[in-house]
Amino acid sequence: MDCCRALFFCLCLLTSQGTTEGSTENKILGLMQKMEKKAMGRRHYSPDGEVRLLEQELLNASFHEHTLNLHTKTIQSLVFKLRCNFTGLSLNSGTLEQGPQAQAWHAMHFPAELTWDACSAPARPKELRLICIYFFTTSFFQDDNNSSLLNNYVLGAQLDQRRVSNLREMVNISFWHNQSLEDYTLTCVFWKEGASKRRWGAWSPEGCRTEQPSPSQVLCRCNHLTYFAVLMQLSPAPVPAELLVPLEYISLVGCSVSAVASLLTIGLHLHTRQQNDSIRGIHVNLHTSVLLLNVTFLLSAALAMPSGAACRALAAFLHYTLLSCLTWMAIEGFNLYLLLGRVYNIYIHRYMLKLCALGWGVPAFLVLLLLIIKSSVYGPYVIPVTHSQENGTGIQNVSMCWVRSPVVHSILVMGYGGLTILFNLVVLAWALRVLRRLRVRKKGPGPRACRDSVTVLGLTVLLGTTWALAFFSFGVFLLPQLFLFSIFNSLYGFFFFLWFCSQRYHSEVEAKAEMEALSSSQTMH
């Protein structure tokens, strides 16, 4: 009789445990299905509470097997029991139990270092739980920019309630696509909670390195655990890695030389009082904007891994100095038109004050407006760089502080610069026509005509027409454009300095000739 009671008790215990396990799985599946319905039914859905609840339920789930695998249409949840003898874990969509949307492959590799901190603590745990949550939709992780994610995949991992960061052995996350990704800039990112004022987080590349072993694979190597994804942006052809060093060297040397040349020219302009005050003032302001642009670019290049508020501030100031430089180039063109084209005297009240308000105020207004509306348009900007590998060509990204939004870049960088260059090209063509008429009147080239030719070359630099090279960054023009643009525009301040010295020399020669003519005429009388 006692044996029968013991057997009955064991059967009841096993049955209750199976019921508990089944109810736990049903509860988690119900939560996942509820999250899916909310994400589909609401446009501005903030799922941070449900995601945290799902993580907690998975950490507390009771199951007998080594692994728990649950999935719905767009979410897959995995739980692994780990011990302190953990040697690493590799997961991929091919070996896992069939999950949702399995048409695109993905994989994760966790190093043995993952459990070292937990197992070296005085209270050594008997068991650790590693949970992985895969989202096959972007509905749960929408940022302010509505960024496009590769395959719409977000792969997350967490070890108990512990924060795992600064790993020496990286966590490897691989994403595959069924087509080539060569036309895209790809960036490995993680979801940073609290990084956005309007959303529950934002994508950040901190602590992750992007590699592309093949045209259809992206490898993310990150030193922490969280939710990972790959941002996709249409991009021009990547820069070959063997050309990156000479281009950086040209830019750094050119900007350094231009900064020094601009500083010298500002001093010479302030020392020279012979020139018209408005002309001198415009030249000084243009040189100041060029000096600020060069210095800011050198500071941006000095930051190896830009991130955070400092990078946003530096990117915004770099954008501001570029817009100021372009605006003062347009002002130079406008002033040249007034000097050569006016038939009668034109007086503009407080001319320089109005020009300064335009040259410095308009760019400041545009940049501040962008910062107020959406500060995330500034930050780390990814530049794709190709490098040769044994099995083909891979892509490894480098970053700098710059405009991140493609729309803002198109309108307030390329569009703004394009209008400025177009206006100055029209002014330059018109100035050439005026000088040609003067040559015809003088009936022969002569020394004055030669000087006019030198002046036109100087005006070509002064008006910034070399910046038009930026619009040839495609196809067979890409590599020549990169070198020509880097050389001409990084040395813009230096060329401007040479033109100023040339103009000053000719002015002194003319003044000396006039003095000699005056003295000889006085001697004859």
Side-chain angles (χ1 to χ4, degrees), residues 429-446:
W430 175 80
L432 288 173
R433 186 179 177 184
V434 172
L435 291 174
R436 185 174 177 273
R437 288 178 180 176
L438 291 176
R439 290 177 188 175
V440 172
R441 288 178 186 175
K442 293 192 177 186
K443 298 179 182 180

Side-chain angles (χ1 to χ4, degrees), residues 23 52 113 200 234 256 267 428-429 441 477:
S23 63
R52 293 290 161 256
E113 185 188 350
W200 71 288
L234 279 172
S256 301
L428 182 61
R441 288 178 186 175
F477 301 104

Side-chain angles (χ1 to χ4, degrees), residues 25-39 45 50 54 58 69-78 100 133-135 140:
E25 293 183 7
N26 291 334
K27 183 179 180 181
I28 295 173
L29 284 172
L31 176 60
M32 292 162 62
Q33 292 169 351
K34 181 181 177 182
M35 291 172 62
E36 287 180 334
K37 290 180 180 178
K38 284 187 176 181
Y45 174 50
E50 283 85 353
L54 177 60
L58 292 172
N69 186 352
L70 303 172
H71 60 81
T72 56
K73 292 181 179 179
T74 59
I75 306 174
Q76 184 173 14
S77 300
L78 303 164
I133 306 177
Y134 301 156
F135 294 91
F140 301 96

Side-chain angles (χ1 to χ4, degrees), residues 146-167:
N146 291 324
S147 301
S148 298
L149 304 182
L150 180 61
N151 301 326
N152 291 333
Y153 281 11
V154 179
L155 309 183
Q158 179 180 335
L159 183 68
D160 279 351
Q161 300 286 359
R162 306 172 188 273
R163 181 177 179 179
V164 179
S165 59
N166 299 321
L167 294 172

Side-chain angles (χ1 to χ4, degrees), residues 300-326:
S300 178
L303 295 180
M305 290 296 293
S307 61
C311 184
R312 283 196 297 272
L314 186 60
F317 193 72
L318 181 60
H319 188 206
Y320 168 71
T321 55
L322 176 63
L323 293 181
S324 298
C325 188
L326 292 170

Side-chain angles (χ1 to χ4, degrees), residues 230-448:
V230 176
L231 293 185
M232 295 179 63
Q233 287 183 333
L234 279 172
S235 66
V239 181
E242 57 271 16
L243 299 181
L244 183 63
V245 174
L247 285 171
E248 288 179 345
Y249 182 77
I250 291 171
S251 299
L252 292 176
V253 173
C255 288
S256 301
V257 172
S258 287
V260 175
S262 297
L263 196 58
L264 288 175
T265 313
I266 291 171
L268 291 172
H269 269 299
L270 295 176
H271 183 264
T272 304
R273 297 291 180 179
Q274 297 175 355
Q275 211 171 15
N276 183 285
D277 284 339
S278 63
I279 297 176
R280 183 173 58 86
I282 293 172
H283 288 347
V284 168
N285 280 281
L286 177 57
H287 270 293
T288 303
S289 65
V290 172
L291 175 63
L292 291 174
L293 178 61
N294 288 324
V295 172
T296 310
F297 178 79
L298 291 172
L299 288 176
S300 178
L303 295 180
M305 290 296 293
S307 61
C311 184
R312 283 196 297 272
L314 186 60
F317 193 72
L318 181 60
H319 188 206
Y320 168 71
T321 55
L322 176 63
L323 293 181
S324 298
C325 188
L326 292 170
T327 306
W328 280 108
M329 289 176 189
I331 291 172
E332 287 279 7
F334 174 73
N335 193 65
L336 178 64
Y337 168 76
L338 291 183
L339 291 175
L340 295 178
R342 63 188 181 187
V343 179
Y344 49 87
N345 290 330
I346 297 176
Y347 173 74
I348 301 177
H349 183 60
R350 294 184 178 179
Y351 183 49
M352 275 308 302
L353 182 62
K354 292 177 180 178
L355 291 182
C356 287
L358 179 65
W360 299 110
V362 171
F365 171 76
L366 293 174
V367 172
L368 288 175
L369 185 64
L370 284 174
L371 288 172
I372 293 171
I373 295 176
K374 187 184 291 187
S375 62
S376 60
V377 299
Y378 298 111
Y381 176 77
V382 177
I383 303 172
V385 179
T386 59
H387 55 93
S388 299
Q389 296 179 338
E390 294 181 359
N391 57 351
T393 302
I395 294 180
Q396 188 168 0
N397 298 326
V398 296
S399 300
M400 67 171 290
C401 298
W402 185 231
V403 179
R404 298 178 61 187
S405 170
V407 176
V408 174
H409 186 272
S410 299
I411 297 174
L412 287 182
V413 176
M414 301 302 292
Y416 197 96
L419 289 176
T420 300
I421 294 165
L422 180 61
F423 172 74
N424 282 355
L425 283 173
V426 172
V427 172
L428 182 61
W430 175 80
L432 288 173
R433 186 179 177 184
V434 172
L435 291 174
R436 185 174 177 273
R437 288 178 180 176
L438 291 176
R439 290 177 188 175
V440 172
R441 288 178 186 175
K442 293 192 177 186
K443 298 179 182 180
R448 180 72 184 179

Side-chain angles (χ1 to χ4, degrees), residues 196-236:
S196 173
K197 295 180 180 179
R198 294 186 296 173
R199 309 280 183 166
W200 71 288
W203 294 113
S204 171
E206 299 173 31
C208 289
R209 187 166 73 244
T210 306
E211 297 180 7
Q212 197 168 355
S214 69
S216 59
Q217 180 189 359
V218 181
L219 173 61
C220 300
R221 297 172 59 81
C222 303
N223 63 2
H224 55 283
L225 291 186
T226 183
Y227 293 95
F228 303 99
V230 176
L231 293 185
M232 295 179 63
Q233 287 183 333
L234 279 172
S235 66

